[in-house]
Amino acid sequence: MPLRMQLGAITLDCPDPLALAAFYEQVTGLEPHPESNADFAGLNREDGPLLGFQRVDDHRRPTWPEPDVPQQLHICFNVQDDLAEVEARLLELGAGKPDHQPHDGDRARVFTDPAGHPFCVVRR
């Protein structure tokens, strides 16, 4: 019988928690956690897990798809909007777009957040 655990939080290592939280706040619309600070920042809403960002002074930016520094984490976001519009907005907010795109560009695209963590946007 499986345990019935509920996901409470996902935390990403990064050099600047408040900056990365601000990026993901714009991307997701999640609310800043009131106790966020320079060492740990969070975003959440009542019905979902906390998305956290913790300061790591010697954080090494992932080099995905190159294996030198592993991706560390991979998040996928579902969107209803046109991927070209989503891409333009993400790039405007500070996301990067790797040359390597392993998915069909009409269905999904890979981006990197300002700390280098890759994430996918999938049209559903």
Side-chain angles (χ1 to χ4, degrees), residues 2-91:
L3 294 174
R4 298 197 180 256
M5 299 188 297
Q6 182 178 16
L7 183 61
I10 297 171
T11 301
L12 288 76
D13 290 351
C14 63
D16 186 343
L18 292 172
L20 199 54
F23 171 79
Y24 278 104
E25 179 183 357
Q26 291 294 312
V27 170
T28 64
L30 294 172
E31 297 290 324
H33 190 277
E35 295 179 25
S36 293
N37 59 53
D39 290 322
F40 186 89
L43 300 172
N44 62 351
R45 62 176 187 222
E46 289 183 26
D47 64 341
L50 175 94
L51 184 55
F53 312 95
Q54 89 185 356
R55 177 180 301 283
V56 173
D57 291 329
D58 60 350
H59 178 263
R60 293 181 59 208
R61 182 181 185 88
T63 57
W64 184 90
E66 301 303 321
D68 299 337
V69 180
Q71 64 181 338
Q72 303 166 12
L73 178 75
H74 185 98
I75 301 173
C76 291
F77 295 98
N78 295 331
V79 297
Q80 302 294 324
D81 300 324
D82 177 73
L83 284 180
E85 293 173 17
V86 172
E87 178 177 324
R89 182 69 176 133
L90 286 170
L91 295 175

Side-chain angles (χ1 to χ4, degrees), residues 82-115:
D82 177 73
L83 284 180
E85 293 173 17
V86 172
E87 178 177 324
R89 182 69 176 133
L90 286 170
L91 295 175
E92 179 181 298
L93 291 170
K97 184 179 177 192
D99 291 336
H100 178 68
Q101 292 291 313
H103 306 292
D104 171 5
D106 293 333
R107 189 181 71 79
R109 297 183 188 166
V110 178
F111 298 93
T112 55
D113 68 24

